[in-house]
Amino acid sequence: MSDIQWQPGKEYREIIYETYEGIAKITINRPFRRNAFTPRTVMEMYDAFSEARDDAGIGVIILTGANHGGAHEDEAFCSGGDQMVRGNGGYVGEDNIPRLNVLDLQRLIRVVPKPVIAMVNGYAIGGGHVLHILCDLSIAAETAKFGQTGPKVGSFDAGYGAGYLAAMVGQKKAREIWYLCRQYTAQEALEMGMVNKVVPFEQLETETVQWAKEMLQFSPTALRFMKASFNAATDGLAGLQQFAGDATLLYYTSDEAKEGRDAFKEKRKPDFSKFPKFP
Ligand code: S0N
């Protein structure tokens, strides 16, 4: 897809984790099922996103799907939950426990304090469509297709999959997407405002990495606060918690906060008088 020299990272069974010059790439690797996710796929993605979050050398994360190498029109980003392992109370993994653990992953994509780009190489359908919606940015191949299928296949995502989608494309369009279960072209997704850029399939990775590199030149703290700020506007108290946590992190690095800590450890009264009371 490109000549970028990705370095292999932690090994998984159902995904691939790679890095390149401050960028982590997480690839769902189940092309034979259009990159549908099982509980294990989701657990591995959760682990990989945590890995990228904890690595101070990583500034941007890319989420994509593995190509099977056929016609570009047949490739998939992710086709949602794997219907073959869907039990009566969720998706059933090797431990026989039915789970809806993609919800944990959705939260992590939201709160990881680094921009996440969905590199949409093909079908983004069902729970896979929700994953691209949740990423900070989406860059799509011209041949990618987008849509929800819940009402057709007996499932629904009434959380981010509904409310956040509506915040993005508007109430009427979001209802159309869910009520009619149609598929939309990349160009239509661009016009709806749920994709940032559409490029020829062959240029997808180069373009996505270029976007990542541009962001890597900028202040990571500024990007972190902007992400938290956008989330705070849509995520209620959970969004505010993320924003407030980032403010606390910044405060911890100040001499003012250190004075409180040091005074406690030195068993003395803290002296905050020297710190400015800005207007
Ligand atoms: C993606 C589609 C449109 C591609 O069509 P195409 O190119 O004609 O390929 P197919 O021949 O259909 O597929 C090729 C092979 O891949 C298998 N496959 C495709 N998708 C899945 C899938 N989702 N699960 C399992 N297998 C899949 C096909 O069966 C075929 O295999 P073979 O060759 O052996 O016959 C088309 O494939 C399509 O429409 N796929 C289904 C899309 C779908 O309905 N997905 C599920 C939607 N629901 C969810 O994602 C659940 C949401 C969710 O996770 C969630 C949300 C909120 C709260 C909790 C949850 C939760 O459940 O965890």
Side-chain angles (χ1 to χ4, degrees):
M1 199 180 220
S2 77
D3 53 7
I4 291 152
Q5 300 293 311
W6 294 99
Q7 299 302 308
K10 189 168 173 182
E11 284 193 19
Y12 297 98
R13 242 170 51 196
E14 300 192 353
I15 68 165
I16 303 167
Y17 184 74
E18 295 162 298
T19 60
Y20 169 75
E21 296 186 0
I23 306 166
K25 182 169 77 159
I26 298 168
T27 307
I28 305 171
N29 192 21
R30 306 187 75 236
F32 49 95
R33 294 252 167 103
R34 298 294 188 262
N35 294 320
F37 53 75
T38 67
R40 183 184 187 98
T41 324
V42 173
M43 279 177 208
E44 291 187 352
M45 279 197 276
Y46 193 93
D47 190 82
F49 268 96
S50 305
E51 187 86 2
R53 177 194 56 200
D54 295 349
D55 184 341
I58 295 295
V60 177
I61 304 166
I62 294 173
L63 176 63
T64 193
N67 295 316
H68 59 61
H72 295 166
E73 289 74 14
D74 295 339
E75 300 297 4
F77 170 75
C78 176
S79 63
D82 187 326
Q83 301 303 297
M84 306 305 173
V85 301
R86 182 170 150 190
N88 296 331
Y91 295 85
V92 182
E94 291 137 30
D95 56 7
N96 274 329
I97 298 171
R99 293 174 195 276
L100 300 172
N101 59 345
V102 77
L103 299 177
D104 299 335
L105 176 66
Q106 291 183 357
R107 282 292 311 150
L108 183 56
I109 292 174
R110 290 288 282 181
V111 302
V112 62
K114 305 175 182 187
V116 181
I117 311 177
M119 185 166 86
V120 188
N121 53 315
Y123 286 107
I125 303 287
H129 187 252
V130 177
L131 288 180
H132 111 79
I133 287 292
L134 281 166
C135 292
D136 295 277
L137 301 165
S138 292
I139 305 190
E142 281 169 349
T143 43
K145 291 202 189 64
F146 300 78
Q148 296 297 155
T149 57
K152 192 162 66 179
V153 298
S155 69
F156 57 86
D157 183 338
Y160 283 116
Y164 191 54
L165 179 70
M168 192 170 283
V169 301
Q171 283 282 343
K172 295 276 186 192
K173 207 70 199 178
R175 286 166 203 239
E176 174 191 313
I177 290 168
W178 272 100
Y179 295 175
L180 281 86
C181 298
R182 291 179 178 167
Q183 286 180 10
Y184 300 87
T185 64
Q187 186 57 35
E188 287 170 323
L190 181 72
E191 285 157 15
M192 278 185 245
M194 59 184 184
V195 157
N196 295 88
K197 179 139 192 191
V198 177
V199 294
F201 182 89
E202 294 77 9
Q203 289 169 24
L204 181 62
E205 187 159 278
T206 310
E207 181 74 23
T208 308
V209 167
Q210 178 56 34
W211 282 53
K213 280 184 170 173
E214 282 183 39
M215 290 186 284
L216 285 168
Q217 292 170 26
F218 299 144
S219 157
T221 306
L223 294 176
R224 179 186 186 118
F225 267 92
M226 288 314 299
K227 176 163 182 168
S229 162
F230 286 122
N231 290 354
T234 49
D235 285 10
L237 206 50
L240 200 57
Q241 182 214 33
Q242 183 186 352
F243 191 86
D246 284 351
T248 307
L249 167 67
L250 210 56
Y251 178 59
Y252 274 165
T253 65
S254 72
D255 289 340
E256 186 179 334
K258 287 177 199 157
E259 168 63 10
R261 176 200 63 194
D262 293 346
F264 178 82
K265 283 164 64 179
E266 292 159 16
K267 300 192 185 304
R268 61 174 171 82
K269 212 168 158 229
D271 176 12
F272 290 113
S273 64
K274 58 186 171 215
F275 299 107
K277 284 90 183 158
F278 291 119

